[in-house]
């Protein structure tokens, strides 16, 4: 039974080490892929992508006080990592809010409101959800879509892509951490298995032992 435990311990150690190395390699490759894909898009932060500049812009645009402003800085920087992509996306959100008067997608009316539409039937910025108050396209005879909503649609697509890059980067980093943990666990298993075997001459791993000719060897 002791021999079986020793062989099992070494086998478990080998599997953990193999999985650990694989996880580390995959994690590093994942982060490299994220970085390469971001570089291909050639995204560079605009000069106003600093906490001070965006705060001044938000104040000038009279954005609601509850809007969370970015605290990171990517002004003039090439976006090549997940963290930078997330930071850039947070500035994109503020720029979008500035262009929509502080309204998010769900707060804006679906249609462009007619001139003279009662304020209670609008979103306060020329949009309405009531097709009776919507501008009608003379060719299609359908309500005209709110153009501000189109800004949010484009913005959300970009923000989602940037945040997915960040998530992929974090998951890759997590994979590296897990790989290191598995590698260390495997090494620990190997030390315990081989170390225990070295104290016993009658073991399945006898080829690892240094058999001495003297007396006094400890036996298990």
């Amino acid at each position: 039974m002791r021999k079986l435990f020793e062989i099992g311990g070494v086998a478990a150690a080998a599997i953990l080490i193999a999985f650990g190395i694989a996880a580390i390699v995959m994690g590093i490759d994942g982060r490299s892929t994220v970085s390469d894909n971001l570089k291909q898009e050639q995204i560079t932060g605009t000069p106003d992508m600093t906490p001070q500049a965006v705060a001044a812009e938000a104040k000038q645009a009279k954005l609601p006080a509850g809007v969370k402003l970015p605290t990171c800085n990517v002004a003039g920087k090439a976006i090549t990592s997940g963290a930078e992509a997330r930071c850039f996306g947070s500035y994109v959100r503020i720029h979008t809010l500035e262009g929509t008067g502080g309204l998010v997608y769900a707060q804006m009316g679906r249609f462009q409101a007619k001139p003279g539409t009662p304020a209670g039937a609008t979103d306060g910025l020329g949009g309405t959800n009531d097709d009776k108050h919507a501008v009608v396209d003379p060719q299609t005879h359908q309500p005209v879509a709110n153009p501000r909503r189109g800004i949010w649609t484009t913005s959300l697509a970009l923000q989602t892509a940037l945040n997915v890059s960040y998530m992929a980067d974090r998951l890759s980093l997590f994979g590296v951490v897990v790989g290191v943990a598995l590698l260390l666990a495997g090494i620990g298993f190997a030390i315990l298995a081989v170390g225990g075997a070295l104290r016993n001459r009658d073991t399945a791993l006898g080829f690892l032992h240094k058999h001495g000719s003297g007396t006094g060897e400890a036996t298990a």
Side-chain angles (χ1 to χ4, degrees):
M1 183 63 70
R2 177 184 291 275
K3 294 180 180 180
L4 181 62
F5 286 158
E6 292 171 0
I7 295 173
V10 172
I15 292 172
L16 286 173
I17 291 173
F19 279 11
I21 293 173
I24 292 172
V25 171
M26 292 174 65
I28 293 174
D29 181 66
R31 298 199 75 190
S32 177
T33 299
V34 170
S35 179
D36 290 342
N37 287 341
L38 286 171
K39 288 177 181 177
Q40 288 178 358
E41 300 305 321
Q42 299 184 20
I43 304 172
T44 303
T46 55
D48 62 341
M49 289 186 173
T50 65
Q52 298 78 12
V54 78
E57 288 182 359
K59 183 177 180 180
Q60 184 178 2
K62 298 180 180 179
L63 295 185
V67 174
K68 185 178 180 181
L69 300 177
T71 57
C72 51
N73 184 347
V74 289
K77 296 181 180 179
I79 307 304
T80 60
S81 70
E84 291 171 342
R86 184 189 186 193
C87 179
F88 188 92
S90 65
Y91 280 103
V92 170
R93 176 178 173 80
I94 300 301
H95 289 167
T96 305
L97 287 171
E98 292 170 359
T100 61
L103 298 180
V104 297
Y105 183 84
Q107 293 176 312
M108 292 185 288
R110 293 182 297 157
F111 312 118
Q112 183 178 345
K114 296 177 182 178
T117 300
T122 72
D123 57 14
L125 291 173
T128 181
N129 286 318
D130 190 344
D131 56 1
K132 295 179 182 179
H133 296 293
V135 174
V136 177
D137 188 316
Q139 295 182 349
T140 63
H141 304 290
Q142 296 296 322
V144 176
N146 185 353
R148 282 193 173 90
R149 270 200 157 196
I151 298 174
W152 262 114
T153 302
T154 303
S155 173
L156 284 174
L158 178 56
Q159 290 180 59
T160 300
L162 292 168
N163 287 329
V164 167
S165 296
Y166 172 76
M167 181 179 68
D169 183 78
R170 296 296 96 178
L171 288 174
S172 297
L173 181 59
F174 177 73
V176 172
V177 173
V178 171
V180 171
L182 289 173
L183 187 60
L184 292 176
I187 293 173
F189 263 100
I191 292 173
L192 290 175
V194 176
L198 288 173
R199 291 192 298 269
N200 182 8
R201 295 185 61 180
D202 184 20
T203 154
L205 303 177
F207 65 92
L208 296 176
H209 293 204
K210 295 180 180 179
H211 296 287
S213 57
T215 61
E217 286 187 83
T219 59

